[in-house]
Amino acid sequence: MAYRNLRESPQLVSEVLRHFAALLRSEAELAKGELKEKAASAGTGLACLAAAAILALAGLHVLAAALVAWIATAGLSPGLAALLVGGVLIAAAACLLAAARARLNGKALLPTRTIRSVQRDAASIKEATHDRH
């Protein structure tokens, strides 16, 4: 086993610290970029949630009008049509709500690429330290 000159030790430690700092900076930049992407996705999810709320409100109004028309006319034709329209609006709101929930869950917002990159870096560092012993 070849031993290095002890005078090189401070330089080696300095180089390792410099590489480690650069690694931390690059991982922080990666995390920042990924979190920006996730925030944009969350914004889209919130927009879907707002649209779902508006459609649900409109659907409830139509359903209420349909119920009133149905009770008033007992002929069912105008009320049944209004119930059909209200049901379609509620179904659309349910679809938007499902899309919003998919974009806003905790797992979808995790910076997964950054986590994988940090895990690879940690494994590389661990492997490099085991190779020296």
Side-chain angles (χ1 to χ4, degrees):
M1 179 185 273
Y3 291 99
R4 292 184 177 231
N5 188 348
L6 287 179
R7 289 182 223 160
E8 296 178 9
S9 295
Q11 294 165 340
L12 289 174
V13 169
S14 174
E15 185 177 331
V16 166
L17 290 175
R18 194 170 39 254
H19 286 303
F20 186 69
L23 175 65
L24 288 178
R25 277 192 301 275
S26 67
E27 293 298 348
E29 287 299 316
L30 178 63
K32 190 164 95 174
E34 192 171 357
L35 287 174
K36 281 183 183 178
E37 288 176 19
K38 300 294 181 175
S41 178
T44 303
L46 288 173
C48 287
L49 187 60
I54 291 168
L55 285 176
L57 184 60
L60 288 174
H61 285 190
V62 170
L63 288 173
L67 184 58
V68 169
W70 180 70
I71 292 171
T73 61
L76 297 176
S77 182
L80 191 56
L83 282 172
L84 190 64
V85 169
V88 168
L89 288 174
I90 292 296
C95 290
L96 287 172
L97 182 62
R101 288 186 67 191
R103 290 184 180 266
L104 294 174
N105 73 16
K107 192 172 186 179
L109 297 175
L110 278 176
T112 53
R113 289 183 306 207
T114 302
I115 291 169
R116 280 195 306 269
S117 179
V118 169
Q119 288 171 340
R120 281 193 307 268
D121 293 342
S124 295
I125 291 169
K126 186 176 181 180
E127 184 179 310
T129 57
H130 285 285
D131 287 346
R132 293 181 193 253
H133 289 100

